[in-house]
Structures are given as C-alpha cells and as structure tokens.
Amino acid sequence: MNIATTRGATKSSLSLPNILTYARIAAVPVVVGCIYAQSIMDQPLWLRWVAVAIFIAAGVTDYLDGYYARIWNQQSAFGRMLDPIADKLLVSSCLLMLAADGIIHGWSLWAAIVILCREILVSGLREYLAALRVSVPVTKLAKWKTTIQLVAIGFLLAGEAGDQVVPVVTQIGLLLLWISAIFTIYTGYDYFRAGIHHLIKEDEG
C-alpha cells in the first residue's frame, strides 16, 4: 500500500461522519451500564434519565453522520460498513438489557426476539448480497421502522423513572415495540426475498 492510499484511508476513517459513528458505538456500554447499575445494583432512578439522554444523543448521531457524509461528500466504504453495525449494537444491547431489567417481559419478549432475529437475518443477507455485488436500498418503511424502534427503546429506557412523571411511559414503549416488530417482519421479508431471488439465479447459472 503506497503512502497516498494510506493517508486517504486515515482521512476517511477519521472523518466527522465516522467519528459520530464511533461515538454511537461508545454510547453502548454507557447506556447499558446506567440501566444495569439502576436495575441490577439498585442505584438511583436518575441513572435511567442519563441512559435516555445518551441514547437520544446516539440516535441523533445516526442521522447526522449520514447527513454530513452526503453534504460534505465524505461517504466511504468503511462508513457504510460501520454505520449499520453501530445501529445493531445499540439496539440489540438495549433490548437485551431491558429484558434482563424486566421492563420487556412476558409476551413483549417475542417482539424483542423478532427484532433481534431480523437484525441477524438481514446482516447475513447483506453479507451474501455484497459478495454478489448486489445492493438492496433502504426503503422509507425501513427508515420508519428504525425511528419507531428507537423511540420505543427510549420510552422503555425511561421505564420506572418515566412512569413517575407520566404513568403510561412503559406501556407506550411496549406498544411502539410491537409496532416496530410488525414493521420489522415486513421489511425483513423484502431483504429475504431479494436474497432468495439472487440465490436461485446463482444456482441456475
């Protein structure tokens, strides 16, 4: 690798959009740690508000990294690879922590399981389609799914602390989680259909 290529890669990996993505990944252990300390170690409820604030900030970076990458023409293969990984780490870790916390329980666990299974399925399909140089664009419905999912998790992170302010905060979060799970099934089917289509074509070829 020559010097110019090395410098280009360094500049790309340290661009503002990628730094925002790193920040989203760094937020994961902080959010999980706050909920763990409050719920498992019986620490003060204000830790849930800290978790919510950091989670919201992480969600904002999800929008800003793509926005700045487009307007500043700083889109990169590294960023496209890391961005969905950061999203999945944040969502999956929060769902698992909320299940351990007991906020997500009973039938609502199925909504979380559907979301987690879809994330694993889509990750595998994306890897397979990428090997075939096939791109599956993100639909508007998928973006809405992500938005509802993040809002649901935000409500659930507030949990008991939120219920002390508005008694239905947790219930709203669980309802939105189910809505997100329904959207997840539909959007996941789009990826699955695209993957099966190209798999059949490759076998026939």
Side-chain angles (χ1 to χ4, degrees):
M1 181 180 290
N2 58 40
I3 295 177
T5 304
T6 304
R7 287 176 178 173
T10 303
K11 181 179 178 180
S12 174
S13 64
L14 294 178
S15 64
L16 179 59
N18 286 339
I19 290 174
L20 290 173
T21 303
Y22 300 149
R24 192 153 72 257
I25 295 174
V28 172
V30 181
V31 173
V32 170
C34 286
I35 300 300
Y36 182 88
Q38 190 283 312
S39 176
I40 308 300
M41 302 180 66
D42 200 26
Q43 296 299 308
L45 280 177
W46 59 261
L47 284 170
R48 301 194 80 96
W49 291 117
V50 174
V52 171
I54 295 173
F55 182 80
I56 291 173
V60 171
T61 67
D62 189 22
Y63 168 78
L64 291 179
D65 60 12
Y67 174 75
Y68 286 125
R70 288 190 300 271
I71 66 171
W72 290 346
N73 195 27
Q74 291 185 334
Q75 294 171 319
S76 65
F78 182 76
R80 288 192 296 272
M81 178 272 295
L82 195 62
D83 184 67
I85 291 176
D87 295 341
K88 287 173 175 55
L89 286 174
L90 183 63
V91 169
S92 300
S93 60
C94 285
L95 288 176
L96 290 172
M97 193 65 243
L98 288 167
D101 178 25
I103 293 293
I104 299 177
H105 63 281
W107 286 101
S108 296
L109 285 170
W110 287 106
I113 290 170
V114 165
I115 292 171
L116 290 174
C117 287
R118 185 264 189 190
E119 298 299 345
I120 295 171
L121 173 67
V122 169
S123 295
L125 286 174
R126 275 181 174 160
E127 183 177 348
Y128 166 71
L129 293 174
L132 299 179
R133 299 186 180 277
V134 175
S135 175
V136 180
V138 178
T139 63
K140 287 185 178 181
L141 185 61
K143 292 179 180 179
W144 273 107
K145 181 272 302 179
T146 300
T147 300
I148 296 172
Q149 190 171 275
L150 293 176
V151 173
I153 292 174
F155 272 87
L156 294 173
L157 287 173
E160 184 182 350
D163 288 336
Q164 290 186 352
V165 179
V166 181
V168 293
V169 164
T170 299
Q171 295 305 314
I172 291 174
L174 292 174
L175 174 62
L176 291 173
L177 189 70
W178 275 108
I179 295 173
S180 173
I182 293 170
F183 280 11
T184 288
I185 294 172
Y186 186 84
T187 56
Y189 174 72
D190 285 341
Y191 282 103
F192 181 74
R193 182 175 56 184
I196 292 297
H197 172 72
H198 290 285
L199 178 63
I200 292 174
K201 284 182 61 177
E202 185 179 23
D203 287 342
E204 289 177 347

